[in-house]
Amino acid sequence: MRLTAKSEYGLLALIDLAVAWNGGPVSTRDIARNRDIPPAFLEQLLATLRREGLVIAVRGARGGFVLARDPHSISALDIVEALEGPLAPTVCAAQAICGREGTCAAEPVWARVSASLRNVLGEFDLASLAERQALFDAAFTVPTPEE
Amino acid sequence: MRLTAKSEYGLLALIDLAVAWNGGPVSTRDIARNRDIPPAFLEQLLATLRREGLVIAVRGARGGFVLARDPHSISALDIVEALEGPLAPTVCAAQAICGREGTCAAEPVWARVSASLRNVLGEFDLASLAERQALFDAAFTVPTPEE
DNA sequence: TCAATCCTGACAACATAAGTAGGGTTTGCC
DNA sequence: GGCAAACCCTACTTATGTTGTCAGGATTGA
């Protein structure tokens, strides 16, 4: 079982945007460099996230992307669902194909997997992830007091 | 996010074997018919499950498959892992590729997703699933007291 | 004006999923 | 002994999804 690289890249990118929250827009190029993501691919992902209403694009020179709303109100689930579509662990969890809807003992298994997955992803919000990331970044950045 | 048809078919097949626990072996053909699974494909899955030690094959006429141990001791997690390999939601959950191991805020997200998934799947055992399935089956089978 | 930046659609290489095909081997039963 | 039922094994196929790349267009700050 796996989520695709889209989710992984998308979450990283939006953590970076959350870190820069209240600052100016961040360009795909900067994020791609920072996170080692193929730039053109990341651009596509951010375009999707814009269409899904999670980020706002600022075009032109010195442009980039900004979170569309407060980082507290964006969860990992929002990002994953925006990039991967609805989260169903199996075909059968989405639609009964065996003609046994309601009479198949396997049904609750997939239902509970799906619910638990959504639940866990929903618990992570960008604000806390960004906070944690900022701590990590600070620990590995030499302070430059002369600036 | 999704598990593949293998998990879905495999779980259904092993529920059928659990229902027939203490009876004789059940053939792939019977299971395939009962669950509407392509027979040749199911055969491959059962061969995998045999190699993984979950079922025992009985060759020759009147042969088939039997659970290798008590249905109480086989979980949905056992089946899914046997058929799909180790359960990692993203590439990064399996191996850090960005060179930020321990300093990436996204890491705990995938870790918790993985843990929760394993946890939920581990909660379902074949004995209870078979019990439930037997109830469903009984409800849709006309009793034949004259036999 | 120019360069930085996002926007869009097409395309390609590769991997995986889902099944098919065809033979080989074992074994219960008449 | 013969035969059919069943598992065993490997290879092949077809379709789809993933992970990008590429080329050009539109927008805008300096």
Side-chain angles (χ1 to χ4, degrees):
Chain A
M1 197 276 317
R2 54 187 278 273
L3 299 167
T4 70
K6 288 193 226 171
S7 292
E8 198 157 344
Y9 292 162
L11 179 58
L12 292 175
L14 263 57
I15 287 174
D16 282 358
L17 292 190
V19 169
W21 179 243
N22 288 334
V26 184
S27 69
T28 48
R29 194 152 147 275
D30 286 348
I31 299 175
R33 259 214 279 265
N34 185 36
R35 295 296 191 167
D36 203 31
I37 301 172
F41 191 43
L42 178 59
E43 208 172 319
Q44 290 185 8
L45 302 184
L46 286 168
T48 302
L49 292 169
R50 175 183 57 79
R51 284 180 215 112
E52 296 289 326
L54 293 183
V55 301
I56 292 170
V58 180
R59 302 180 69 168
R62 300 282 168 184
F65 290 89
V66 188
L67 290 184
R69 40 183 217 262
D70 191 281
H72 285 97
S73 74
I74 301 180
S75 72
L77 179 62
D78 294 330
I79 301 166
V80 170
E81 280 193 327
L83 291 172
E84 315 244 7
L87 239 48
T90 67
V91 177
C92 194
Q95 51 185 16
I97 50 175
C98 55
R100 288 189 180 216
E101 202 172 356
T103 67
C104 171
E107 253 187 314
V109 178
W110 310 128
R112 283 224 32 210
V113 165
S114 177
S116 138
L117 181 68
R118 297 175 54 88
N119 198 47
V120 169
L121 283 176
E123 274 170 14
F124 290 93
D125 69 287
L126 279 184
S128 14
L129 291 173
E131 193 179 346
R132 191 181 192 80
Q133 188 63 63
L135 285 179
F136 285 141
D137 292 349
F140 280 82
T141 304
V142 177
T144 55
E146 65 269 20
E147 270 189 17
Chain B
M1 196 277 316
R2 51 189 281 272
L3 300 166
T4 69
K6 288 192 223 171
S7 292
E8 197 156 346
Y9 292 162
L11 179 58
L12 292 175
L14 262 58
I15 287 175
D16 282 359
L17 292 189
V19 169
W21 180 242
N22 288 333
V26 184
S27 69
T28 48
R29 196 153 144 273
D30 286 349
I31 300 175
R33 260 215 275 265
N34 185 34
R35 294 296 191 167
D36 203 31
I37 301 172
F41 191 43
L42 178 59
E43 206 171 322
Q44 291 184 10
L45 303 184
L46 286 168
T48 303
L49 292 170
R50 174 182 56 79
R51 284 180 213 112
E52 296 290 326
L54 294 182
V55 301
I56 292 170
V58 180
R59 303 182 67 166
R62 300 282 168 185
F65 291 90
V66 188
L67 289 184
R69 40 183 217 263
D70 191 281
H72 285 97
S73 72
I74 300 180
S75 72
L77 179 63
D78 294 331
I79 300 166
V80 170
E81 280 193 326
L83 291 172
E84 314 244 7
L87 239 48
T90 68
V91 178
C92 194
Q95 53 185 17
I97 50 174
C98 55
R100 289 188 180 215
E101 201 171 359
T103 67
C104 172
E107 254 187 314
V109 178
W110 311 128
R112 284 223 34 210
V113 165
S114 177
S116 139
L117 181 69
R118 298 175 53 88
N119 198 48
V120 169
L121 283 175
E123 276 170 11
F124 290 93
D125 69 287
L126 279 184
S128 12
L129 291 174
E131 194 180 345
R132 191 181 191 79
Q133 188 64 62
L135 284 179
F136 285 141
D137 292 350
F140 281 82
T141 305
V142 177
T144 54
E146 66 268 21
E147 269 188 21

